[in-house]
C-alpha cells in the first residue's frame, strides 16, 4: 500500500459503518490451522529463503508475505516498491532466479508464499525516468506495457473520498491510475499475476483495492490461473466513505483495519478488559467483517509510519497486542516485521549499488518481530488451538485479561502491575511451559519454569507487569522441544524414543524430520538434533517408542531419507549410521544432562542471551530473554544436553550488543557470572 500522506485522508478514517450489500464468501481462504502470515517487509529473496528454513517453518507459520517483486522506480525510500515501472521480476530485493529459489525453499520448509501485488497504478514520477532493471518510462507511458490510453482520464489527485468515481479513477498521491475496467489492462495485470503463479506463489496481498472497482477486480481475477488454490487478501481501508470492504469479499479476505485501531486504543493505554467483554472483539462488533472474511494485524508498513496503529516503537504494549491477536479466534493474522526508522520516508539499509543488504536479526535495525520469542512461540499456540471457542474468560475490570481456547490452550495478559491469582482453565492436568518465554525440553522448559495445572484445570501464577502467560497442550513440559503445536506425545518418559544419528557426514547442522505412527509429519526440515557424544547427535521423541518414520537433513536442502524409503525406527533407542539402523546407545548407558546457569551484569531493562550449545545452531537473534536475578544481574539457565559448554553474546533487544569485543563468550557447565568482559564461576546473588 502507499503511505497515507494526505492529512485529509487520515481525517476520514474513524467512523465505522457497514455496507448495505454483502458479496458472497470468497472461494479461497487461509487454510487452518497454519493461517499466520509473517510479513517480511523489505526483506530480500535470499534472506526470506533462509528465514523460511531457520525460523518460519519450525515455528509453524503458514505463509510468508514478500514486498512487491516487480521492477520499480529507483531511490532509497521505502515506497519505491509501490511505484511499478514494469512487470519484470527484478528489484532491489533480488533477481527473478532468486525469487524462484526462495519460493522453492520456503515450500520445502512447509511455508507458502504470498506476493504483495501492486495493480492499481504505475509510478508517481511526473518527469518519468529509468526503473531499477533499466526500463525507461514516462508518467503515463510504459513502453511495451501501457500507453496513455490505458490510464484513467482524471489525471489529478483524489480530493473527495466521498465521491466513488473520483476515488477509483483519479490519482492516489500522483500515482498514474490504471484504467482497470479496460480488458487490455486487465489482461496485462493478470499476465503479471500469472507469471508469479508460474514461479510458485500461493497467493497475493493486493494493494490499494479500494481504488479498484469491485467489478474490475472480478475481471482481473477471472483471468488468473489456478485461482482456486490461491489465497487472496486485499487492502480495503475501512472509513466513513461510500466504498466499503464488504464489496470485495467475493474475491478474498480483507484486512480489517478496525481491529488494529481498537488494539491501539486498548494496548496503547492500559484498559484492555473490554476486548473480551461479551463475545469479545470481532464480528459481533459494528463495522467488523465476518470471521471468515477477516485478515487481522497489529500494524503494517503504512500504519507504523502514520501512527494509525501501534508499532514496534510501543514496546511491551505492541508485543502484548501481538500475543492477543495470535491467541484470539478472530480472522487470519499477519505479523509485520520490518526495520527501525526515525525518518518515516527512510528505506532499509542499502549496499553501494542500491540493493537491499540481506537482513540479519540484530543488524541494521531489523526488528525481527516475527522471530521474537514471545511472538514466534504464539504461532504454535495458534496452530494448536485453531478452531476452538473462547472459554473461561476473566478480567480484573481494567488492565488484565485471561481466556481459554477450549481444552487446548489458555492465555493471561497483564497490561498493569504485577498480578498473582489462580486461573481457571479447561486444560488437562499436567506441567506446561509458558511459551511466551520458552519451549519444552526433554526435562522441562527452556525458560520460565513449569506451570502446573491441577485436576480441576487450575493453576496459580504471577503475571508480571506488561507480560503474559500462554499454555497449550502442544507445549507440555518435557515434550522435548518439537515444532510448536505439533508434538504428537503428551507425556515424557515411558514410550519415548531417543534417536542417535552419526555425524560422519560432516554437516554443520543436523535435523530429524519425522512422524509418530500414522500421525502428522513435523514441519520440514524437522527439529534439531543436539550433540550427544563424540561422533553423534541425538533427539528424544515423545511417544516414539511404538514407531516413527524419519529422514535426516542438514537444514540446507541435503537429505538422508534412506534412498527414498525413509527410516522406520522404534524402541527406546535407535541409531542411524551410514544407512544402517541399530538399537545400542553409542554414548553408553548414562548421559548426564548438564546445564549452565549464566548470570550477566547489566543495567539494561531488558536483556537477551544469544547462544549456541557446543557446535550446534545459534538461537534466533536476539536470543532468549534473561530473567531478573538480583540488583544489577540477569540470569538464564541453559540445557547443555550433555555438551560441555556454550558460546554466547548478550544484547538489550534493541540493537545494543556485548559480544566480548567480537570474540563472543565461552561458557562452561555450572554456575557462572559474566561481568565487564570476564567469565568467572559463582552465583553473584547468593
Amino acid at each position: 500500500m502507499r503511505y497515507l500522506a494526505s492529512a485529509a485522508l487520515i481525517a476520514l478514517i474513524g467512523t465505522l459503518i457497514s455496507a448495505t450489500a454483502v458479496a458472497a464468501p470468497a472461494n479461497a481462504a487461509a487454510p487452518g490451522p497454519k493461517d499466520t502470515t509473517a510479513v517480511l517487509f523489505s526483506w530480500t529473496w535470499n534472506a526470506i529463503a533462509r528465514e523460511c528454513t531457520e525460523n518460519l517453518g519450525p515455528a509453524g507459520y503458514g505463509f510468508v508475505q514478500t514486498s512487491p517483486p516487480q521492477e520499480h522506480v529507483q531511490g532509497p525510500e521505502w515506497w519505491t516498491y509501490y511505484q511499478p515501472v514494469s512487470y519484470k521480476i527484478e528489484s532491489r530485493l533480488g533477481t527473478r532466479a532468486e525469487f524462484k529459489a526462495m519460493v522453492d525453499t520456503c515450500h520445502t520448509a512447509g511455508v507458502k508464499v504470498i506476493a504483495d501485488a501492486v495493480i492499481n497504478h504505475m509510478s508517481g514520477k511526473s518527469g518519468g525516468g529509468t526503473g531499477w532493471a533499466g526500463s525507461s518510462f514516462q508518467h503515463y507511458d510504459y513502453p511495451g506495457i501501457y500507453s496513455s490510453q490505458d490510464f484513467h482520464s482524471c489525471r489529478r489527485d483524489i480530493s473527495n473520498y466521498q465521491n466513488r468515481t473520483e476515488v477509483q479513477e483519479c490519482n492516489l498521491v500522483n500515482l498514474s491510475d490504471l484504467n482497470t475496467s479496460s480488458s487490455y489492462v486487465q489482461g496485462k495485470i493478470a499476465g503479471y499475476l500469472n507469471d508469479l503463479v508460474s514461479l510458485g506463489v500461493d497467493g497475493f496481498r493486493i494493494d490499494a483495492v479500494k481504488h479498484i472497482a469491485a467489478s474490475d477486480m472480478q475481471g482481473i481475477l477471472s483471468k488468473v490461473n489456478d485461482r482456486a488454490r490461491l489465497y487472496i487478501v486485499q487492502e480495503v481501508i475501512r472509513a466513513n466513505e461510500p466504498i466499503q470492504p464488504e464489496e470485495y469479499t467475493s474475491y478474498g479476505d480483507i484486512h480489517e483495519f478496525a481491529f488494529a485501531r481498537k488494539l491501539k486504543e486498548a494496548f496503547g493505554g492500559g484498559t484492555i478488559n473490554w476486548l473480551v467483554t461479551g463475545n469479545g472483539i470481532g464480528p459481533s462488533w459494528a463495522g467488523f467483517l465476518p470471521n471468515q472474511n477477516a485478515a487481522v494485524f497489529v500494524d503494517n508498513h503504512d500504519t507504523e509510519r502514520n501512527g494509525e496503529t501501534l508499532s514496534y516503537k510501543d514496546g511491551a504494549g505492541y508485543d502484548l497486542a501481538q500475543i492477543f491477536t495470535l491467541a484470539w479466534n478472530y480472522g487470519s493474522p499477519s505479523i509485520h516485521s520490518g526495520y527501525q526508522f526515525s525518518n518515516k520516508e527512510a528505506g532499509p539499509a542499502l549496499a553501494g549499488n542500491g540493493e537491499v543488504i540481506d537482513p540479519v536479526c540484530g543488524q541494521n535495525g531489523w526488528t525481527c518481530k516475527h522471530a521474537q520469542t514471545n511472538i514466534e512461540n504464539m504461532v504454535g499456540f495458534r496452530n494448536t488451538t485453531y478452531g476452538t471457542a473462547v472459554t473461561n474468560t476473566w478480567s480484573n475490570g481494567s488492565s488484565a485479561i485471561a481466556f481459554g481456547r477450549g481444552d487446548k490452550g489458555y492465555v493471561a495478559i497483564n497490561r498493569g502491575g504485577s498480578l498473582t491469582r489462580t486461573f481457571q482453565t479447561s486444560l488437562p492436568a499436567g506441567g506446561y511451559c509458558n511459551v511466551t518465554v520458552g519451549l519444552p525440553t526433554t526435562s522441562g522448559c527452556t525458560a520460565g519454569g513449569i506451570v502446573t495445572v491441577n485436576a480441576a484445570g487450575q493453576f496459580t501464577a504471577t503475571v508480571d507487569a506488561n507480560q503474559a502467560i500462554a499454555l497449550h497442550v502442544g507445549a507440555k513440559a518435557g515434550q522435548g522441544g518439537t515444532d510448536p503445536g505439533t508434538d504428537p506425545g503428551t507425556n515424557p518418559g515411558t514410550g519415548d524414543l531417543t534417536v542417535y544419528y552419526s555425524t560422519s557426514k560432516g554437516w554443520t547442522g543436523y535435523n530429524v524430520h519425522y512422524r509418530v505412527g500414522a500421525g502428522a509429519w513435523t514441519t520440514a526440515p524437522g527439529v534439531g538434533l543436539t550433540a550427544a557424544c563424540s561422533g553423534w547427535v541425538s533427539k528424544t521423541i515423545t511417544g516414539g517408542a511404538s514407531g516413527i518414520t524419519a529422514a535426516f537433513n542438514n537444514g540446507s536442502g541435503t537429505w538422508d531419507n534412506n534412498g527414498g524409503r525413509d527410516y522406520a525406527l522404534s524402541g527406546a533407542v535407535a541409531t542411524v549410521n551410514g544407512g544402517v539402523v541399530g538399537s545400542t546407545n553409542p554414548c553408553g548407558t548414562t548421559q548426564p544432562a548438564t546445564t549452565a546457569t549464566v548470570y550477566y551484569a547489566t543495567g539494561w531493562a531488558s536483556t537477551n542471551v544469544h547462544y549456541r550449545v557446543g557446535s550446534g545452531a545459534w538461537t534466533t537473534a536476539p536470543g532468549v530473554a534473561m530473567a531478573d536475578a538480583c540488583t544489577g544481574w540477569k540470569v538464564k539457565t541453559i540445557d547443555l544436553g550433555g555438551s560441555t559448554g556454550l558460546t554466547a553474546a548478550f544484547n538489550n533487544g534493541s540493537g545494543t550488543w556485548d559480544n566480548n569485543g567480537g570474540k563472543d563468550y565461552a561458557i562452561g557447565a555450572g554456575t557462572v557470572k559474566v561481568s565487564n568482559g570476564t567469565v568467572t564461576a559463582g552465583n553473584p546473588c547468593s
Side-chain angles (χ1 to χ4, degrees), residues 22-26 28-30 231 249 252-254 283 289-295 330-332:
V22 180
Y231 176 47
T249 54
D253 282 0
I254 312 288
L289 287 159
N291 183 50
Q292 69 269 23
N293 302 123
Y330 175 61
S332 296

Side-chain angles (χ1 to χ4, degrees), residues 42 44 74-77 81 91-94 132 347-359 364 366:
S42 285
T44 62
Q74 298 189 50
E77 299 86 358
Y81 320 112
S91 78
R92 67 180 184 182
L93 298 173
W132 173 265
L350 303 177
N353 63 358
E355 294 178 354
V356 174
I357 299 171
D358 286 344
N364 292 322
W366 294 98

Side-chain angles (χ1 to χ4, degrees), residues 566-581:
D566 296 324
Y567 290 96
L569 308 174
S570 62
V573 172
T575 63
V576 178
N577 186 358
V580 177
V581 176

Side-chain angles (χ1 to χ4, degrees), residues 631-679:
T631 303
W633 292 88
K634 303 283 187 177
V635 66
K636 173 68 181 172
T637 298
I638 298 169
D639 187 351
L640 299 180
S643 183
T644 59
L646 58 94
T647 307
F650 303 87
N651 65 86
N652 69 348
S654 300
T656 300
W657 286 75
D658 171 11
N659 62 1
N660 196 21
K663 302 186 293 292
D664 296 322
Y665 290 97
I667 297 172
T671 302
V672 299
K673 53 184 185 284
V674 180
S675 179
N676 295 322
T678 303
V679 180

Side-chain angles (χ1 to χ4, degrees), residues 315-328:
Y318 176 85
D319 293 348
L320 292 178
Q322 294 282 17
I323 291 170
F324 175 82
T325 299
L326 290 166
W328 195 246

Side-chain angles (χ1 to χ4, degrees), residues 148-196:
S148 181
Q149 65 186 9
D150 299 316
F151 296 87
H152 281 124
S153 59
C154 175
R155 301 193 178 183
R156 60 171 175 80
D157 280 359
I158 302 164
S159 61
N160 180 12
Y161 274 81
Q162 297 300 318
N163 184 316
R164 175 184 292 269
T165 300
E166 188 170 333
V167 170
Q168 295 182 337
E169 296 189 8
C170 295
N171 289 350
L172 175 68
V173 289
N174 202 43
L175 297 165
S176 51
D177 197 75
L178 285 164
N179 180 6
T180 50
S181 63
S182 158
S183 59
Y184 173 82
V185 172
Q186 290 179 3
K188 283 295 183 181
I189 293 171
Y192 165 55
L193 300 181
N194 283 332
D195 189 28
L196 290 172

